[in-house]
Amino acid sequence: MKSDAELVDLFKKGNQDVFRQLLERYEKKVYNLAYRMLSNREDARDISQEAFLKAYFALPSFRGDAAFSTWLYRIATNLCLDLLRQRKNKVVFSLDEPFQTEEGVLERQLPTCEDGPETIVEQREFQRLIQRLIHTLPAEQRLVLVLREFQELTYEEISQTLECSLGTVKSRLSRARSALGKKLLASGEPFAFPHRLKEGKGGNRV
Amino acid sequence: MTCQEIRDQLSAYMDKMLPTAQMRVIAEHLSLCPHCRGELQQLEETVALLRQVGEVEPPPDLTDAIMDKIQTVAQEDKGAAPIWRRFQNRKYYGGLIAAAACLLIAAIIVGRGLPSFKMAADGGLSEGITEDVGDYNALSLPRIAPGDMRLEMDAVEEEGKDFTPARAFGEKRMARMVSKEAHLTLLVEDVDREFDRVVFLVEGAGGFVQNSGTWEKGKQRVSNLTLRVPVDRFSDILAQLAELGQVEGRELGGQDVTMEYVDTEARLRNLKRQEERFLDILQRADTVEDILQVEGELERVRGEIEALTAHLKNLDDLVGLSTIDMELRQLKVSARRIAPPSLAGVMTAALKASISTFNDILYFFATAIVIGGGIIPFLPFLLLAYLGYGWYKKKRAGEGK
């Protein structure tokens, strides 16, 4: 198994077939990043495609100042932010997202081909809730949160990806986490903090 | 440290991303403050919850789709004319149109200063193609034969010896020193209404009404107007005025005041030199008698200078503003008579209109070709700018945007 840097080197030397390996390695990560940012699988697909396309053609001029992954994430996050900015004034209907009516929030009921036990249904609803709440955060906060909690990047890597200072990462992440915590509590969903009872975390609480 | 300050750092504390001393301060605070402890717990639970969220699976065909797309684009990039291929993309149409519009405006602005455009504007085009306006244009430049000019020049030169610089100046203006005049008699249905329209039209074009009057002559209402209009709008205004009614009479004339102008200028220069000389003499005069005599002469010279200056100004005025004498007469409309338009008249009008439109079209294309020609020298710069932009974009993409 070759490292990213070795593959990039090979690519630059003209062996462009190795790009497939890089793609396979990061496709899921990039797709997830885009999905968490945009809450929409169609957009996530488009953004992933565009990000790798850009990466492919820009790779020859990639200087290796940061890790390949960081560089790739930067391309993807910029594409996401561009799209969000473009969409700011447009109404977009998402298949995954609940939509607002005059009587309140309606979940879209989509037929699913995956039959499964209740746990899967529960898991799905939990996923949806989280995604919906994340989506209400401002894009910048959402981005830091996604990179940290889903992509599991270090603070250092996040600051390189977003080209901002460590302090900014810290404060944005802090705001995003606490805002999300409050939203979770306010949502009042039974599975919002299921482990609170199960695990009995934080001894002084019941 | 206040609780708020502590809380702002709990997120980083949780990830152990604070300096050791800071970590210790916060740990200490937490052991004492149940509220902040609760806050930390909520944060930890939130994060734990988020970490439970699994990854979503990308569509299974995504890898192949991306590789295919890369291959396609790579092929296109190697294709014969990438620039044109890019222009096929609708995304660029808006930009292209905007660029073309800017270019056109720039070309017109710059082009006004360029000979190629001037040539077209000054005559090449208008003489050849336009039909109606041509009549007026023909009178605008009754050029003076070079021979005549020389004679006049020689005569002037005898008077002033250092005339050479002025001569160049005179020659430059000479061809344009024509005061234009027109007489126009119109039959109109409502004299007062048309009167107002004339005033409106002339004032809108930067001219003014010098004299006007209206009276009843027999049973016919008549208005007379003396209009002064900027010389460059002369033909244009005249054509517009003629459309206000039925033209009964039209007379065009021009008076060449070039010689008069040059002559007056030369005399003025001479007088000014004389004035200087008298002033010089006045300085040196010592007897009262001499002084009085010289002052008398000075007064005479100055009077003449004033008169000539006023004359020049008058000539300038005459040349800069053309005069249109206009008479509006009431058309006698007999209410009983039905006057259907004659077939021949309609046909003539139609023919005229079609010729006029045809001329407009020809003029449009001719102008377009001239402007197009004017743009050609800019093309290398545009190409350069385009390549530079492409390079910049590539560089930006290379840096991960």
Side-chain angles (χ1 to χ4, degrees):
Chain A
M1 188 85 162
K2 291 194 169 70
S3 75
D4 291 352
E6 284 170 327
L7 289 177
V8 170
D9 259 2
L10 280 173
F11 182 92
K12 281 188 178 180
K13 279 175 189 148
N15 184 1
Q16 289 167 341
D17 296 337
V18 298
F19 192 79
R20 199 184 177 96
Q21 289 181 50
L22 289 168
L23 172 61
E24 279 164 357
R25 207 172 279 180
Y26 287 105
E27 180 187 72
K28 196 169 176 182
K29 290 268 185 200
V30 170
Y31 181 80
N32 270 274
L33 168 62
Y35 174 69
R36 294 298 169 202
M37 281 308 290
L38 306 166
S39 305
N40 179 319
R41 283 174 178 271
E42 270 309 302
D43 289 340
R45 188 195 163 96
D46 289 349
I47 293 290
S48 312
Q49 188 157 328
E50 210 174 318
F52 280 105
L53 200 66
K54 263 196 149 165
Y56 183 91
F57 290 103
L59 201 51
S61 55
F62 168 59
R63 292 189 304 271
D65 298 343
F68 170 77
S69 59
T70 311
W71 179 74
L72 183 63
Y73 288 157
R74 195 188 304 160
I75 294 178
T77 51
N78 280 327
L79 287 173
C80 288
L81 290 177
D82 283 349
L83 190 68
L84 286 170
R85 226 168 283 140
Q86 273 173 30
R87 294 247 171 110
K88 217 165 186 175
N89 302 317
K90 290 183 194 163
V91 182
V92 177
F93 289 103
S94 154
L95 291 179
D96 305 344
E97 224 185 311
F99 67 105
Q100 198 82 29
T101 66
E102 281 164 15
E103 287 126 57
V105 177
L106 268 184
E107 291 281 343
R108 282 176 190 270
Q109 297 295 319
L110 292 177
T112 162
C113 45
E114 286 173 53
D115 293 352
E118 268 178 32
T119 48
I120 289 182
V121 176
E122 234 172 69
Q123 180 67 19
R124 278 175 163 275
E125 268 172 52
F126 165 67
Q127 290 253 11
R128 264 195 202 152
L129 172 74
I130 296 286
Q131 188 58 41
R132 198 176 71 213
L133 293 181
I134 290 176
H135 201 78
T136 58
L137 293 174
E140 283 176 342
Q141 287 182 26
R142 191 175 352 145
L143 190 51
V144 180
L145 193 76
V146 168
L147 289 176
R148 175 70 191 165
E149 314 299 2
F150 296 118
Q151 308 296 111
E152 297 176 344
L153 263 54
T154 65
Y155 281 55
E156 192 67 43
E157 285 166 335
I158 297 174
S159 85
Q160 278 180 17
T161 305
L162 304 183
E163 294 179 302
C164 64
S165 72
L166 269 181
T168 311
V169 175
K170 275 182 204 167
S171 65
R172 273 190 201 162
L173 187 58
S174 167
R175 257 177 285 141
R177 278 169 167 173
S178 83
L180 190 67
K182 290 198 178 82
K183 282 172 197 281
L184 271 169
L185 268 185
S187 73
E189 296 278 350
F191 44 73
F193 288 106
H195 57 291
R196 180 174 289 181
L197 297 169
K198 264 188 252 162
E199 293 170 19
K201 228 179 169 185
N204 60 339
R205 283 219 202 165
V206 183
Chain B
M1 236 192 234
T2 65
C3 278
Q4 189 54 51
E5 283 168 327
I6 295 284
R7 280 175 200 188
D8 285 344
Q9 299 189 47
L10 284 179
S11 157
Y13 172 82
M14 200 170 79
D15 293 325
K16 302 189 173 59
M17 285 302 294
L18 293 171
T20 331
Q22 195 73 9
M23 293 289 289
R24 208 172 297 142
V25 170
I26 291 175
E28 208 167 297
H29 178 91
L30 284 172
S31 70
L32 296 171
C33 175
H35 295 296
C36 287
R37 211 151 57 221
E39 196 79 21
L40 177 64
Q41 193 184 359
Q42 195 187 321
L43 277 185
E44 281 173 342
E45 283 170 0
T46 306
V47 170
L49 213 53
L50 286 175
R51 296 261 160 102
Q52 279 181 23
V53 176
E55 287 187 302
V56 288
E57 280 300 322
D61 63 327
L62 185 59
T63 317
D64 289 327
I66 292 175
M67 285 313 288
D68 282 355
K69 180 89 185 168
I70 287 174
Q71 293 307 325
T72 326
V73 176
Q75 285 300 315
E76 270 178 28
D77 253 24
K78 279 179 197 158
I83 288 178
W84 296 116
R85 204 171 279 275
R86 259 186 244 177
F87 285 160
Q88 283 169 8
N89 193 334
R90 272 159 194 263
K91 199 161 77 178
Y92 293 98
Y93 283 4
L96 264 179
I97 291 168
C102 290
L103 205 69
L104 197 70
I105 292 166
I108 291 170
I109 292 169
V110 178
R112 280 176 174 279
L114 291 178
S116 62
F117 193 89
K118 269 199 173 151
M119 222 158 64
D122 274 0
L125 284 176
S126 49
E127 255 174 38
I129 299 166
T130 50
E131 162 229 34
D132 256 346
V133 190
D135 296 346
Y136 307 127
N137 273 358
L139 106 145
S140 69
L141 299 175
R143 296 189 187 262
I144 301 141
D148 294 354
M149 182 121 70
R150 181 126 321 271
L151 257 173
E152 186 65 26
M153 287 315 230
D154 289 345
V156 171
E157 247 173 321
E158 281 169 19
E159 251 182 292
K161 277 165 197 154
D162 60 346
F163 193 61
T164 347
R167 178 174 165 178
F169 169 76
E171 253 177 310
K172 217 188 219 170
R173 301 184 80 152
M174 211 153 277
R176 296 187 188 276
M177 297 266 104
V178 174
S179 80
K180 289 192 231 174
E181 283 171 24
H183 294 273
L184 187 66
T185 309
L186 286 186
L187 291 178
V188 295
E189 279 173 32
D190 183 341
V191 168
D192 295 318
R193 195 185 64 202
E194 300 309 328
F195 184 94
D196 289 344
R197 277 200 197 165
V198 169
V199 174
F200 179 77
L201 207 150
V202 167
E203 285 178 352
F208 59 92
V209 181
Q210 192 171 296
N211 272 314
S212 72
T214 305
W215 59 88
E216 300 281 336
K217 199 171 171 186
K219 283 196 171 173
Q220 205 179 22
R221 202 170 166 75
V222 177
S223 274
N224 259 343
L225 296 113
T226 307
L227 309 169
R228 303 297 307 272
V229 298
V231 70
D232 51 337
R233 302 288 310 270
F234 179 70
S235 5
D236 177 29
I237 291 173
L238 203 55
Q240 285 182 50
L241 288 175
E243 273 166 25
L244 293 178
Q246 193 181 319
V247 178
E248 204 192 50
R250 172 158 49 181
E251 211 178 296
L252 293 165
Q255 196 191 341
D256 188 350
V257 293
T258 317
M259 299 316 147
E260 201 180 340
Y261 198 92
V262 173
D263 196 26
T264 313
E265 266 185 337
R267 276 170 58 200
L268 192 61
R269 243 188 315 280
N270 272 337
L271 282 169
K272 279 188 176 158
R273 257 202 315 275
Q274 262 185 25
E275 185 192 10
E276 274 168 38
R277 227 174 292 145
F278 280 129
L279 281 172
D280 210 28
I281 294 168
L282 194 61
Q283 296 271 316
R284 277 179 280 165
D286 25 20
T287 67
V288 176
E289 201 183 328
D290 283 352
I291 290 174
L292 282 178
Q293 206 177 343
V294 173
E295 273 190 342
E297 285 298 308
L298 253 180
E299 202 174 322
R300 180 186 60 81
V301 167
R302 281 180 175 158
E304 266 183 73
I305 287 177
E306 262 164 44
L308 286 180
T309 312
H311 187 54
L312 268 184
K313 198 171 165 290
N314 188 31
L315 282 178
D316 265 335
D317 190 42
L318 254 170
V319 171
L321 290 166
S322 312
T323 312
I324 301 176
D325 268 330
M326 223 184 151
E327 196 172 315
L328 294 171
R329 262 192 256 154
Q330 195 167 17
L331 194 64
K332 282 175 200 146
V333 197
S334 80
R336 300 266 166 88
R337 218 183 86 207
I338 298 171
S342 74
L343 183 66
V346 171
M347 291 316 284
T348 319
L351 187 70
K352 225 178 147 183
S354 95
I355 289 173
S356 154
T357 309
F358 188 66
N359 281 337
D360 282 350
I361 292 169
L362 279 184
Y363 191 76
F364 172 79
F365 280 114
T367 312
I369 290 167
V370 170
I371 290 173
I375 291 173
I376 286 175
F378 291 111
L379 284 182
F381 297 105
L382 276 173
L383 194 67
L384 225 68
Y386 178 78
L387 290 177
Y389 175 69
W391 176 79
Y392 170 73
K393 242 178 114 177
K394 217 171 162 185
K395 200 172 159 238
R396 248 166 79 109
E399 284 163 0
K401 225 196 151 187

